[in-house]
Amino acid sequence: NGYYYSGWSRCIHSSRDFSDMVYVANWIFNKDVFIQFNSTVGEFVGYTELGVYNAESWNKDPNRLQQARASVER
């Protein structure tokens, strides 16, 4: 009953060499991904109207963008 909000992030790699690692973070509202950060793309991507609005705003913030891009190194 009500609204459902969650998020998850993970690192994906296919070998022991971590140079090909990809960091993916998803923000989910009512079981639909509305915004995603993928280190291969290097910026936030929105999938809904709210997600597109947030992605544009977050991509304009150099601190938030740099922090997300550095997450693959953690």
Side-chain angles (χ1 to χ4, degrees):
N1 300 353
Y3 297 104
Y4 175 78
Y5 175 81
S6 67
W8 61 263
S9 60
R10 66 181 177 170
C11 289
I12 304 166
H13 56 90
S14 60
S15 67
R16 291 184 181 202
D17 179 24
F18 294 123
S19 65
D20 64 344
M21 187 179 308
V22 177
Y23 173 74
V24 178
N26 286 321
W27 287 264
I28 303 160
F29 183 70
N30 284 347
K31 300 182 182 179
D32 291 326
V33 174
F34 71 95
I35 191 167
Q36 179 183 70
F37 178 82
N38 185 323
S39 64
T40 303
V41 177
E43 64 182 21
F44 296 94
V45 178
Y47 294 104
T48 64
E49 186 177 347
L50 175 63
V52 169
Y53 175 80
N54 285 331
E56 289 174 357
S57 175
W58 294 0
N59 286 331
K60 290 178 185 176
D61 183 359
N63 293 327
R64 183 183 289 261
L65 202 53
Q66 183 61 29
Q67 184 178 17
R69 288 176 179 161
S71 294
V72 74
E73 300 299 324
R74 287 192 283 131

